[in-house]
Amino acid sequence: MFDSDLDRLTSPNLEGATDVRRRVFLGSAVAALGGLALWQWKKPAVLEAASAASEPKDVTIVLFSDSGQRLKQVRIAQVIKTAAEWRKQLPSGVFDITRNADTEIAFSGKYWNLHDKGLYRCICCDNAVFSSDTKFDSGTGWPSFYQPIAAQNVRTETDRSLLMTRNEVLCTRCDAHLGHVFDDGPAPTGLRYCMNSAALNFVAAEKSGAKSG
Ligand SMILES: [Zn+2]
């Protein structure tokens, strides 16, 4: 569902299933920078996630206004779409990152150097995921936060691709790949949520009428 290869899996004939569980490395010469993955790759795990996603379930998230105000916790249906539907909705680079766990090139995104007040929503489903209040300059070239806007709004999954064990960060509501979380962040959490700008949509506090400061 999140991968064109998956179309084969969803057909009655499952013969291609093992073939698509491969890892595709589209190499990059800059891959070994301090364990940060700059490689482009496809993640076999999306196939498992996608096949499990055939039955949408409810998830718990916290709603936020565009001005960053915490509204309420809700049980809400997961956003489930086919790969074709996501492709239609998202620019191709954004599709590759959010639905196929690709990683944008460091210092290439819109938000790594943004210091404006506001919140960051999932580009796929508008779920609020991070706030400028917890953003810090990590020097990595990716927007970095020490915690999500609400613990419920993102989830993590162990990612053993690229010969590393990392914790992948996904949107709770639509399962978009957002980035990874590492344990070398600043106080108070010691965590570094290393995100892809392309997976996020920034909503400036000023635009929504909130006080900036
Ligand atoms: Zn989402």
Side-chain angles (χ1 to χ4, degrees), residues 126-193:
D126 249 14
N127 178 26
V129 285
F130 290 96
S131 163
S132 59
D133 292 345
T134 65
K135 193 171 188 287
F136 67 97
D137 284 321
S138 63
T140 60
W142 290 285
S144 302
F145 306 83
Y146 63 73
Q147 69 186 22
I149 197 165
Q152 298 94 323
N153 289 16
V154 301
R155 65 181 188 82
T156 57
E157 216 169 75
T158 304
D159 170 6
R160 293 198 169 81
S161 64
L162 305 182
L163 306 176
M164 291 182 270
T165 298
R166 294 177 297 167
N167 289 310
E168 179 185 9
V169 179
L170 303 108
C171 171
T172 301
R173 183 153 194 220
C174 77
D175 259 349
H177 171 83
L178 304 175
H180 290 90
V181 58
F182 302 91
D183 62 4
D184 57 4
T189 63
L191 297 174
R192 172 171 60 92
Y193 284 81

Side-chain angles (χ1 to χ4, degrees), residues 62-152:
V62 179
L63 301 180
F64 287 81
S65 70
D66 279 349
S67 59
Q69 192 190 356
R70 188 184 177 106
L71 298 176
K72 58 178 176 178
Q73 181 173 295
V74 293
R75 284 292 283 174
I76 196 168
Q78 252 186 331
V79 173
I80 306 281
K81 295 184 184 181
T82 65
E85 287 170 331
W86 285 123
R87 278 189 192 281
K88 205 170 169 185
Q89 175 183 332
L90 306 167
S92 63
V94 175
F95 175 88
D96 290 341
I97 288 168
T98 57
R99 312 319 309 184
N100 277 339
D102 200 354
T103 298
E104 70 192 10
I105 302 296
F107 302 102
S108 74
K110 287 187 285 187
Y111 300 140
W112 67 271
N113 199 26
L114 182 71
H115 298 92
D116 295 353
K117 285 271 180 195
L119 60 81
Y120 294 81
R121 295 187 181 277
C122 170
I123 193 80
C124 295
C125 76
D126 249 14
N127 178 26
V129 285
F130 290 96
S131 163
S132 59
D133 292 345
T134 65
K135 193 171 188 287
F136 67 97
D137 284 321
S138 63
T140 60
W142 290 285
S144 302
F145 306 83
Y146 63 73
Q147 69 186 22
I149 197 165
Q152 298 94 323

